Amino acid sequence: MRANCGEIHKLKVLRKTDIGYMLSDEESEIFLHFNESMHRELSVDDIVDAFLYYDQKGRVTATLHTPLITLGRPARLKVISVNPNLGVFLSMGISKDILLSKDDLPLNEDKWPHVDDEIYVKMIHKNRLTVKPVNKQDIKDHGELEIKASYPAVVQRIGHSGINLLTDDDIWVFVHESMYKEAVWIGKRVDVTITNLSEKGYLGSLIKQKQEQMVDDADVVLQYLIKHKQVGLDSQSSPEDINRIFKMSKKAFKRAIGILYKQRRVDFIDGKTVLK
């Protein structure tokens, strides 16, 4: 019966016990707790559709709740908790969560999924049920993307030269490391702009259009000034000093304070940018 865990089976009710039912596949008996029967009153010889999984002690057990994922049927699952020693646990729609092992996650824990992130995963059965992130071989593209258009997507894989995203329509997009500035992690939701279509698939960028980025940079500087009233930087400051505080280029900083100056939000006094 171990080989059948992770799948839904038609099982016959053998008998009722004090705390549940015993089911049979004509080869072995499987326990179904009352809590997993969806409050159904079952009778001997009834046929039920039961999902089989392992309980906390590694025993095969059944539930009548329909899982979000089964063997051979990948799904997007939500992160419920993070355990640095094990990996992350995902909800699969039944009372028991499923593990995405740290062996299948980046070495850097900052790149691990966060609670409530959703990841597209496939179920694996090797003595226990676990999941792994899907790859290109697991999912066929279901459509086309428009060049220069933006689409919501999730970070599915982080590689040495960039990240692989999966759009909500299950289309893969590769973003080279030069085409994003923000921190990324597995499961992070982003908006990707499609830049090209190559033989290997779609290419994209997470860098916003210039005008949007200028507004965002100006807001970063303004929020800092609201908190600190001034900053010891102006248009003549070194790129290193600017990057140390705002993590942006000198060119971007000059555009940002230019916007704030035109809005009459700041003044420049003795090499400082001061909130008005």
Side-chain angles (χ1 to χ4, degrees), residues 2-235:
R2 291 179 73 88
N4 293 328
C5 272
E7 298 176 344
I8 296 174
H9 300 271
K10 289 191 178 297
L11 304 177
K12 180 184 290 187
V13 178
L14 288 181
R15 61 184 179 276
K16 187 176 183 179
T17 72
D18 292 340
I19 57 174
Y21 300 93
M22 296 306 300
L23 310 180
S24 172
D25 64 350
E26 298 184 355
E27 293 182 6
S28 55
E29 296 185 0
I30 304 101
F31 178 64
L32 172 69
H33 195 281
F34 285 141
N35 293 340
E36 301 297 335
S37 67
M38 299 182 66
H39 307 293
R40 291 173 56 182
E41 185 65 34
L42 303 178
S43 302
V44 173
D45 292 334
D46 280 353
I47 303 297
V48 295
D49 292 319
F51 175 73
L52 302 186
Y53 64 102
Y54 299 110
D55 65 14
Q56 298 293 346
K57 296 183 178 180
R59 298 171 299 193
V60 178
T61 190
T63 180
L64 301 191
H65 293 278
T66 302
L68 299 173
I69 187 172
T70 59
L71 287 172
R73 185 168 65 88
R76 285 181 169 86
L77 301 184
K78 182 178 289 188
V79 177
I80 297 300
S81 63
V82 178
N83 185 320
N85 296 319
L86 298 175
V88 299
F89 286 91
L90 313 176
S91 172
M92 57 175 173
I94 63 174
S95 59
K96 191 173 189 294
D97 300 325
I98 195 163
L99 175 68
L100 170 58
S101 172
K102 67 177 184 179
D103 295 336
D104 296 306
L105 292 170
L107 291 176
N108 183 354
E109 289 183 23
D110 291 339
K111 305 297 183 184
W112 285 20
H114 300 176
V115 171
D116 289 335
D117 285 343
E118 283 192 344
I119 316 167
Y120 211 154
V121 292
K122 58 183 177 181
M123 182 178 284
I124 304 296
H125 185 198
K126 290 184 178 178
N127 298 321
R128 60 175 180 166
L129 296 177
T130 59
V131 292
K132 290 186 177 185
V134 298
N135 53 43
K136 279 194 172 184
Q137 288 68 44
D138 299 314
I139 299 178
K140 294 181 180 180
D141 286 348
H142 295 291
E144 296 182 355
L145 301 178
E146 183 180 345
I147 305 301
K148 295 185 179 180
S150 294
Y151 297 88
V154 171
V155 178
Q156 189 69 19
R157 181 178 178 275
I158 301 176
H160 295 297
S161 59
I163 56 178
N164 289 101
L165 310 178
L166 196 57
T167 70
D168 290 350
D169 292 325
D170 299 343
I171 301 175
W172 292 92
V173 180
F174 175 73
V175 179
H176 189 268
E177 61 182 357
S178 64
M179 301 304 290
Y180 61 91
K181 298 179 180 180
E182 62 196 84
V184 294
W185 59 86
I186 303 295
K188 180 179 182 179
R189 289 198 66 84
V190 296
D191 289 317
V192 58
T193 300
I194 306 304
T195 58
N196 198 6
L197 175 60
S198 71
E199 293 180 355
K200 295 183 177 180
Y202 286 101
L203 306 177
S205 171
L206 301 189
I207 299 175
K208 294 182 180 180
Q209 296 298 318
K210 184 177 179 180
Q211 192 62 38
E212 293 178 343
Q213 190 64 53
M214 287 170 59
V215 173
D216 284 352
D217 290 342
D219 188 60
V220 168
V221 175
L222 179 60
Q223 295 304 316
Y224 181 93
L225 292 175
I226 289 174
K227 183 176 181 180
H228 300 282
K229 307 305 179 186
Q230 64 180 30
V231 62
L233 302 171
D234 64 7
S235 61

